[in-house]
Amino acid sequence: MTFLRVVILLSLSNTFMLFAWYSHLKNQADSPLWKVVLLSWGIAFLEYSLMIPANRLGSHVMTVPQLKILQEVISLSVFVPFVVFYMHKSLTWNYLWATLCILGAVYFIFRDKMAFS
C-alpha cells in the first residue's frame, strides 16, 4: 500500500513538474521571462509539496537508489503522454529505446527484491 501511495504522489508530482518546466513553451512563448519564471515557481511549489512526502514515505520501503529509479520510470511514463498529447509532438522510436534503457535500470536496481533473481 505504501508503494502505491508513493507511485501516486510521484506521478502527480511529475505532472506538475512537466507543466512547470515545459508548458510555457506552448502557452507563454511571448510572455516576459520573469512572468514565466514566477508562474513556474508557483507550479513547482505544488510539485515539491507532493515530491517531498513521496520521498519520505518511499524511503521507508525502498533504498534511495530504488526511489530514484522509480522516479525516473514515472517521469518517463508521464512525459511521453504529455509531449504527445499536450505538446503535440510525434512519438518516435527513441521513446521506445529510452524506455528499454530505463527498464534495464529498474531490473538492476530492484533485482535483489525480485523473486526470480
Side-chain angles (χ1 to χ4, degrees):
M1 190 58 141
T2 300
F3 184 81
L4 182 59
R5 277 201 240 153
V6 171
V7 168
I8 291 168
L9 287 170
L10 289 176
S11 297
L12 292 170
S13 170
N14 268 277
T15 301
F16 282 114
M17 177 200 65
L18 285 171
F19 278 92
W21 287 6
Y22 300 111
S23 69
H24 65 90
L25 298 174
K26 178 180 178 184
N27 299 324
Q28 298 159 341
D30 297 329
S31 295
L33 185 57
W34 68 270
K35 285 184 181 180
V36 173
V37 168
L38 288 177
L39 179 62
S40 292
W41 278 352
I43 297 169
F45 175 77
L46 297 171
E47 181 231 339
Y48 276 88
S49 296
L50 297 166
M51 176 69 72
I52 300 303
N55 285 334
R56 283 197 172 199
L57 191 59
S59 70
H60 295 291
V61 294
M62 289 174 267
T63 65
V64 173
Q66 289 171 335
L67 199 53
K68 179 60 181 165
I69 293 299
L70 177 62
Q71 159 63 32
E72 295 304 326
V73 169
I74 291 169
S75 182
L76 185 62
S77 299
V78 173
F79 178 76
V80 171
F82 174 84
V83 79
V84 171
F85 297 114
Y86 185 77
M87 299 299 286
H88 303 291
K89 301 296 179 187
S90 298
L91 192 61
T92 68
W93 284 104
N94 290 337
Y95 292 106
L96 173 64
W97 308 135
T99 300
L100 292 174
C101 289
I102 289 182
L103 288 176
V106 168
Y107 169 76
F108 287 110
I109 206 73
F110 284 98
R111 72 180 173 170
D112 292 340
K113 289 189 175 191
M114 294 179 186
F116 55 85
S117 52

